[in-house]
Amino acid sequence: MDCYLVSTEVMHPKREDLSLVTFRRGHSCKGETACSELSREKETMQNSSSSDLTYMVRQVAHPLTGEDTDYDTLMDCIGDARVVLLGEATHGTHEFYQTRAQITSRLIREKGFSAVAVEADWPDAYRVSRYVWGISDDETGEEALSGFKRFPVWMWRNIDVLAFVEWLRGHNERLPEGRRHVGFYGLDLYSLYTSIEAVISYLEKVDPQAAQRARSRYRCFDHFGEDSQSYGYAAEFGLSKPCTDEVIKQLVELQRQRDEYTKRDERLAEDEFFYAEQNARLVKNAEIYYRSMFQDRVSSWNVRDQHMAETLGELIAYLERQGARTKVVVWEHNSHVGNARATSMGQQGELNVGQLVRERYGNEAVLIGFSTYSGTVTAAADWDAPYERKRIRPALARSYEKLFHETGLEMGQRDFFVLLRGNQMASSALLGPRLERAIGVIYLPQTERISHYFDARLPEQFDALIHLDETLAVEPLDRTALWESGEVPETYPFAV
């Protein structure tokens, strides 16, 4: 097994978590000879110049060859972790979705993970859960994904997510009777009005009078035509009374009725109540979020990531009340998954899901990032603009992506992963800070450096990094002529 040997040395004494042990690949460190070898290698690393970085990365890189065993070492090092966060460097890359699905299916089959929590809205993802549980009116996975209607629709309505959803349904169908089915859950908070409708719809079935009270409380949002940002603007600048008290009262009242609403139908009633409760919690947090949008970027970012971390914690607590120890895999962008404290964004006051999960679960959480050097990506030029198949520019000098590209060229294997947690050689080579690229739902290659790069210290940000050098745009289920045509080359019309 190609993993690491445990050393008593602590790598980063200034870090909050000093319990991490260091490892070295390919050695057993039995006896003085092997340990002396490690000492000599450490001295060599300290004396290395920047030109030796690619050599050092090659020593710790695990090539990806397309074999079923590619991620065996990663699975071994995940061990018995209860939360595994799988990132992505863009919101529109086929290989990122495909690889996350591959790793997730192994976590479910081999390590008993029972939930997939994604950067999507709670009600839309719960519709998918009902489909994979076999209790939905939707006849196909594509139908189950039709709840994803708002921008950026391609993030979850794409062929890779569809394939995973169909696999997950098949997996659940094959489980022995009595085993809890794996669910698909959303962590995000953009579904203010959809969640309001879900709360009222639930209450109409279990307590019509409570539904009337909820409708009355939520009526304060009615003046804005389901435009959440208009509400946030009006409430923040005193043009309209905030709905803060009403949404809190609604959540509290619902929670007080938990026992009454769940005493019948047992598991199904509990699931439906939890779904409604989370929607009420989402409305409360979304109300804060849309007002914070008109304060500063840090405030709104933090509200959103705190909500996602809170939702994850509530999900784990709920599933554990059902019995067995719960393990969850999370799919979100690198900017949410990596520990914000290791980035320039964290220095500006931003926190994120990765940081909050690390603080709560310690080494029982594994943070895995992704990167790419070039290729194509599905993204838009502006918020709510049509999605396109854009070309990703080759990564900038002084970036991790450029370093990994050069490493891949030298080793003759362009795709690989690096284990970072406790790996002294990888940490020495990659500590940085260096530039790291993040492409979200909007990609602006004309302002690439300003719009898409930030400084990071990779070994403190992630526990492992998967580099896929040249990647393709994820294929939307709803393909358009604009997406099909792709981006016009920069040399147009001269074709040179």
Side-chain angles (χ1 to χ4, degrees), residues 208-226:
Q209 290 185 341
Q212 290 180 4
R213 291 193 295 273
R215 192 176 287 107
S216 176
R217 288 175 180 136
Y218 289 147
R219 196 165 287 141
C220 64
F221 291 106
D222 288 351
H223 306 294
F224 304 98
E226 298 199 3

Side-chain angles (χ1 to χ4, degrees), residues 105-168:
S105 66
R106 291 193 61 177
L107 291 173
I108 292 169
R109 288 182 287 109
E110 300 172 21
K111 294 183 177 291
F113 278 64
S114 57
V116 182
V118 303
E119 189 181 337
D121 292 332
W122 178 260
D124 300 336
Y126 198 78
R127 179 173 174 177
V128 177
S129 253
R130 292 180 60 83
Y131 173 75
V132 301
W133 291 336
I135 60 172
S136 168
D137 293 332
D138 294 318
E139 295 184 359
T140 67
E142 185 167 353
E143 260 189 76
L145 290 167
S146 63
F148 294 101
K149 296 175 181 177
R150 70 164 182 84
F151 180 89
V153 66
W154 75 86
M155 266 185 66
W156 302 111
R157 282 188 56 78
N158 63 63
I159 60 170
D160 295 303
V161 171
L162 176 59
F164 177 73
V165 166
E166 297 291 14
W167 175 87
L168 192 54

Side-chain angles (χ1 to χ4, degrees), residues 179-463:
R179 283 275 300 277
R180 185 174 184 95
H181 288 176
V182 180
F184 187 89
Y185 303 92
L187 300 177
D188 224 329
L189 51 49
Y190 289 119
S191 59
L192 173 62
Y193 287 95
T194 306
S195 290
I196 287 173
E197 292 174 7
V199 172
I200 294 172
S201 177
Y202 170 77
L203 289 172
E204 284 175 339
K205 291 185 292 185
V206 299
D207 189 341
Q209 290 185 341
Q212 290 180 4
R213 291 193 295 273
R215 192 176 287 107
S216 176
R217 288 175 180 136
Y218 289 147
R219 196 165 287 141
C220 64
F221 291 106
D222 288 351
H223 306 294
F224 304 98
E226 298 199 3
D227 185 339
S228 305
Q229 292 189 33
S230 292
Y231 162 76
Y233 179 87
E236 183 62 22
F237 291 105
L239 304 177
S240 177
K241 180 185 176 184
C243 299
T244 309
D245 292 342
E246 287 82 354
V247 297
I248 292 174
K249 288 177 183 176
Q250 183 53 51
L251 175 60
V252 170
E253 179 179 315
L254 183 64
Q255 290 172 329
R256 285 175 177 167
Q257 297 299 315
R258 181 195 310 271
D259 292 342
E260 178 66 25
Y261 293 163
T262 60
K263 66 184 181 182
R264 51 192 179 276
D265 298 332
E266 297 180 354
R267 178 64 62 79
L268 179 60
E270 292 176 359
D271 283 344
E272 294 300 330
F273 178 84
F274 180 62
Y275 169 66
E277 180 187 25
Q278 281 304 120
N279 275 304
R281 180 176 286 108
L282 187 155
V283 173
K284 177 185 76 70
N285 291 340
E287 189 275 331
I288 300 171
Y289 172 76
Y290 284 110
R291 284 191 290 107
S292 72
M293 288 180 65
F294 298 95
Q295 298 169 10
D296 58 76
R297 182 184 184 280
V298 171
S299 296
S300 59
W301 174 276
N302 288 352
V303 169
R304 183 180 173 214
D305 273 55
Q306 285 170 325
H307 168 80
M308 291 195 285
E310 179 186 10
T311 302
L312 177 62
E314 293 291 339
L315 175 62
I316 292 173
Y318 171 71
L319 294 177
E320 292 199 331
R321 289 197 296 270
Q322 311 302 318
R325 182 173 183 264
T326 295
K327 297 181 178 181
V328 180
V329 57
V330 175
W331 292 10
E332 293 195 325
H333 195 278
N334 282 353
S335 56
H336 299 295
V337 164
N339 192 331
R341 291 178 298 181
T343 70
S344 54
M345 296 181 296
Q347 294 169 5
Q348 296 166 9
E350 290 185 5
L351 49 76
N352 67 359
V353 175
Q355 174 184 335
L356 296 172
V357 167
R358 174 71 82 217
E359 291 171 355
R360 181 166 182 174
Y361 298 102
N363 287 344
E364 287 191 303
V366 177
L367 284 51
I368 301 174
F370 286 72
S371 70
T372 187
Y373 174 73
S374 63
T376 57
V377 64
T378 299
D382 201 354
W383 189 264
D384 264 341
Y387 50 86
E388 308 172 44
R389 182 154 44 95
K390 292 171 164 281
R391 289 177 295 103
I392 300 177
R393 290 187 175 183
L396 297 178
R398 221 175 54 78
S399 69
Y400 284 111
E401 292 83 359
K402 177 71 170 179
L403 173 61
F404 293 148
H405 173 69
E406 293 173 346
T407 300
L409 291 178
E410 290 186 13
M411 65 190 286
Q413 180 59 57
R414 296 168 66 186
D415 299 340
F416 56 87
F417 71 88
V418 177
L419 298 172
L420 299 167
R421 180 191 288 190
N423 183 343
Q424 182 178 348
M425 180 175 281
S427 294
S428 297
L430 299 173
L431 184 58
R434 299 178 74 88
L435 293 176
E436 183 179 315
R437 179 159 57 186
I439 299 173
V441 296
I442 296 170
Y443 182 41
L444 303 172
Q446 299 87 347
T447 56
E448 175 101 354
R449 173 63 180 88
I450 297 174
S451 300
H452 298 290
Y453 282 89
F454 59 94
D455 287 319
R457 300 182 303 280
L458 203 70
E460 298 177 357
Q461 184 186 12
F462 297 110
D463 296 315

Side-chain angles (χ1 to χ4, degrees), residues 93-96 371-376 392 405 414-415 467-473:
T93 295
H94 158 65
E95 288 82 357
F96 295 160
S371 70
T372 187
Y373 174 73
S374 63
T376 57
I392 300 177
H405 173 69
R414 296 168 66 186
D415 299 340
H467 179 73
L468 306 172
D469 198 62
E470 185 172 2
T471 52
L472 299 174

